[in-house]
Amino acid sequence: NKKKKGVNMTDSNALRDIKLIKGAFPAEYGGRLSSVVDMTMKEGTKNKFSGAGGISLISSRLTLEGPINDNSTFMISGRRMYLDIMMWLADLIIPGESGIESTPQYYFYDLNAKVNYKISENDRIFLSGYFCRDVLNSPDQNNDFSIFWGNQTANLRWMHIVSPEFFTNLSLIYTNYNFNVQIYGDTSNTKTWKSTSKIQDVMLRLEGQYFPNADHVIKMGTEITHHDFGVGIGANFNFNFEDNFTEDNKSSVDLAIYAQDEWKITDLLRSNIGIRGYYFSEGNYFNLEPRLSASYTLTENSTLTLSSALAHQFLHMIVRNDIPLPTDVWYPSTKGVKPQKSWQTVFGYEHLFKEAEYLFSAEIYYKSMQNLLEYKDDASFSLGLPFESQFTVGSGYAYGLELFLNKRIGNFTGWVGYTLSWTKRKFDDLNDGKEFYPRYDRRHDISITFNYELGKKWELGASWVFGTGQAFTMPTGIYRIEDPDGLNNESHYWTRESYDFTEKNGYRLPPFHKLDLNFMYKFEWFKLPFQLSLNIYNAYNRKNPFMWFIGYDFNETNYSYQKAVKQFTLFPFMPTLGLSFKF
């Protein structure tokens, strides 16, 4: 079961393989401008019934796999994070003293399952499914926001070996995605906000791989997808979320066909040459997307890489930049909304040294983007206006440098990664026509991870991450407008408050950084392998802001409430004890 949409990362115990393609991906992938995560689930062991699991103070997981009979196997894996329950208990036992009363409540659960049936020596059937749900709520005493999202997928795949040189996969795939946001009060710098985004797809895909000789691997395929899109937006409600809430439902069909050749040109030069064509019925859009990547071996341990690709995306992610919470809305291309378009080029260098103990890689990239959408500055979310009338179109570009050093062999392993990047957008109707940074622009991104094995029983691990804070449009002041309430009674006035903001995304949250520590002890119990672990999340208790918003402080001098900038922190210092096992 291969998933290409942005989802909660599935349970690693359920995965056989995971592949991340950061940009300029081959022709077999389409419908996206950015990276692709290709995950392949385990098929279930054929030898015996087995499993693995774990339980800790905040989460539990269990994976079971094994043969059903001589021709079939199964795998099922599930997880549940119950941090919300533990935080509720902590506040119940020590009310007001637990330190989590201002921490938003979060939990998730997911389930993976797969069945593999061998029909004959040349035919196999695979049935797999994935289900997940994430829920994020404000602290109980605030009740300011509620966000939940989830994915469901099912995949029925038939693999047929036509000959030793050629095999095919025929797949019927169902996916269902939803993202819902409800915001109350002044947390959003507006009275209330609600948005919903739903995408339901049914896809039929035919893929083939052909191995004509040792120098070529040819892949080809076609897929047809029926989409059902649902979008709902509303703001400034009077009494409930039904007031001023507008929904828009659309359906469309897209068709894609691709071919690519992984070609070993010489012993030193390899390439992947491909082309992808697509048709999107809503708007009658058709285009071709050439793709090219190549690698050249400089020495036994050094390689240069170059890739370039044209890509289109029919879904537009639109966010409100004046709300610090996620407000993602996915809106499809239509006759009046063109698909997003990008051209990306990546140049890289890779080197192995000290007998392949260390791997170093460096990449530079540039990507141009057209037909991007943002809300207009004067967009109205409470009058029931057509959605497309609230959008404006612009362009953007992104470029950067990525460095990666990985120690792969020995008792001490780990990696250091650093990314320096810029992303900018330009809209004639926004920010006085000046360029601005989108919310997810991140200047610096650092990741340091290591693992150290002390003999056969003890293992230590640590990871530290750092990232530049998100950009958003921050209120900087308040102005009030007073108007007479009535023609003949000048003693009655009503006051309207409005915020004065920075330029578009002209403010950033403080940098995000944290340190996680792991201490693991391996032992046997009843002749089964166990692992006892102490995990410390956010070891130095960094108060990373999940969001900033305008709230109130009580002034004891004049006994009045005054507006002030408030912060929610998602996870504080959190030690947990866990036990994992295999059988």
Side-chain angles (χ1 to χ4, degrees), residues 21-36 274-278 286-292 307-316 333 338-345 366-372:
I21 307 173
K22 292 177 289 186
F25 32 81
E28 61 183 298
Y29 303 104
R32 300 292 181 271
L33 299 189
S34 190
S35 58
V36 170
I275 191 166
R276 184 181 183 93
Y278 77 86
F286 171 78
N287 245 312
L288 295 176
E289 301 174 340
R291 312 283 177 86
L292 170 66
S307 57
S308 190
L310 176 68
H312 294 81
Q313 180 171 313
F314 313 107
L315 286 175
H316 298 258
S333 298
K338 295 181 179 180
Q340 298 176 76
K341 177 182 177 181
S342 77
W343 188 281
Q344 181 169 3
T345 300
Y366 182 86
K367 177 166 64 175
S368 62
M369 296 167 283
Q370 290 80 42
N371 304 327
L372 305 178

Side-chain angles (χ1 to χ4, degrees), residues 136-154:
L136 177 66
N137 292 313
S138 57
D140 284 339
Q141 75 272 23
N142 293 297
N143 195 31
D144 288 322
F145 61 85
S146 176
I147 305 172
F148 59 92
W149 62 99
N151 286 271
Q152 301 88 42
T153 71

